[in-house]
Amino acid sequence: MSHQYILVQKKDRVGLITLNRPAVLNALNDTLMDEVCAALAHFDADEEIGCMVLTGSDKAFAAGADIGVMAQYGLMDVYKGDYITRNWAPISRIRKPIIAAVAGYALGGGCELAMLCDIIIAADNAKFAQPEVKLGTMPGAGGTQRLPRAVSKAKAMDMCLSARMMDATEAERAGLVSRVVPLAQLLSEVIKTAETIASYSLPIVMMIKEAVNRSYETGLAEGVHFERRLFYSTFASEDQKEGMHAFLEKRPAHFQHK
Ligand code: CAA
């Protein structure tokens, strides 16, 4: 498959997607998002892939939706074209884990794209913001919904209303990112984490992702019930037998992803 705005690589069981539109700091236009969705779906369907990584450049993960394009759009263009939905919403239906490796700017839609991933690992130069208010608009790809869940209502209000940038240290303290690493080690650290995840039983990993995501959508009792059912179902997998017997026999587990 050839791509205009992304690079796609397989590294053992890890699928790596690099946003590659440097002239505009990876501004997210339809072609780029079509390519991202297609690449994620491709890896999701690939039995040999256990985890995916989405990254940008050292300067920008993505500086947001493409302002040059949005400036031309009227209401009917965005409504009828299903803008920021048609080729964004499919990301939340990807079943394998996606790690966002964020260096530099993750602004507006860039921050929202990172939040659509399952884990955000940031370089020490990462900067997050929802600056849409400065453009006379507002976050449109989940920023007002996912940010408060990640960093609290007060901090999300602060960011969405003032448009200020949050640096990597603050983002980690606030819970938006799982950890911060030096820029030079970002990709190697993220790939290492992705390889670890991909070494585990794929169906079990997918169930864990599904269960953690459920916590966003349901109350506690319903979520715990859902988790318990999935937990029980792991006892029907070959990998659960292998994992537990390997522990008891003091040897590494060899998962067959079934
Ligand atoms: N869309 C289109 N082009 C963009 C862009 C964007 N979101 N962000 C940057 N660019 C372009 C610039 O226009 C510039 O192009 P030219 O060289 O042709 O002039 C190029 O990328 C480099 O940018 P700068 O010269 O501005 O670089 P800088 O280092 O001085 O500043 C920046 C970097 C602070 C990220 C600045 O570019 C900026 O503020 N960008 C816009 C950020 C923004 O507002 N994002 C939110 C978009 S709205 C949105 O995302 C809606 C939603 O919820 C889905």
Side-chain angles (χ1 to χ4, degrees):
M1 241 193 287
S2 73
H3 301 100
Q4 193 178 349
Y5 294 132
I6 63 171
L7 305 172
V8 178
Q9 288 166 272
K10 265 169 101 161
K11 290 178 176 285
D12 295 320
R13 288 182 53 77
V14 175
L16 173 63
I17 301 169
T18 306
L19 306 180
N20 185 33
R21 207 185 166 205
V24 285
L25 305 179
N26 293 333
L28 305 164
N29 65 4
D30 266 343
T31 306
L32 186 152
M33 289 308 299
D34 284 344
E35 291 179 354
V36 167
C37 280
L40 290 171
H42 184 78
F43 284 142
D44 214 28
D46 184 342
E47 276 284 327
E48 291 174 358
I49 294 293
C51 189
M52 302 165 220
V53 173
L54 184 61
T55 194
S57 69
D58 284 358
K59 181 161 184 199
F61 176 73
D66 192 321
I67 299 169
V69 171
M70 284 186 293
Q72 314 295 320
Y73 283 166
L75 169 61
M76 284 305 127
D77 298 309
V78 289
Y79 185 74
K80 286 164 69 183
D82 210 15
Y83 181 60
I84 303 285
T85 309
R86 180 183 62 76
N87 46 16
W88 289 62
I91 298 171
S92 54
R93 293 195 292 275
I94 296 292
R95 299 180 72 202
K96 294 173 187 171
I98 312 169
I99 306 177
V102 175
Y105 297 113
L107 310 181
C111 185
E112 292 166 311
L113 179 59
M115 288 192 290
L116 271 166
C117 299
D118 303 300
I119 301 171
I120 304 177
I121 298 180
D124 48 15
N125 74 337
K127 293 179 202 68
F128 299 86
Q130 295 292 161
E132 291 87 347
V133 68
K134 292 205 290 191
L135 301 170
T137 185
M138 61 181 285
T144 65
Q145 304 304 301
R146 291 195 178 88
L147 198 58
R149 283 166 164 83
V151 304
S152 82
K153 176 186 162 187
K155 212 173 260 290
M157 283 284 189
D158 178 9
M159 288 183 68
C160 293
L161 292 173
S162 75
R164 79 173 175 87
M165 286 195 201
M166 188 189 268
D167 67 17
T169 308
E170 184 182 1
E172 184 185 25
R173 196 170 63 231
L176 179 61
V177 313
S178 70
R179 65 192 126 111
V180 178
V181 298
L183 174 60
Q185 284 148 35
L186 176 67
L187 207 53
S188 59
E189 282 297 317
V190 171
I191 300 259
K192 210 192 302 171
T193 302
E195 280 171 347
T196 300
I197 293 170
S199 75
Y200 300 133
S201 168
L202 177 57
I204 304 295
V205 161
M206 289 163 67
M207 284 186 203
I208 293 171
K209 168 168 170 166
E210 194 181 353
V212 173
N213 278 336
R214 205 27 107 89
S215 72
Y216 276 103
E217 291 147 16
T218 53
L220 181 61
E222 175 59 26
V224 169
H225 182 69
F226 181 79
E227 179 201 72
R228 190 70 33 80
R229 298 291 138 201
L230 280 182
F231 171 69
Y232 287 167
S233 73
T234 67
F235 286 65
S237 73
E238 291 178 23
D239 286 339
Q240 182 260 7
K241 296 287 168 292
E242 166 62 13
M244 295 198 178
H245 283 110
F247 174 82
L248 295 171
E249 291 159 18
K250 303 191 187 307
R251 61 171 176 82
H254 300 292
F255 294 120
Q256 300 300 316
H257 311 293
K258 28 190 194 185

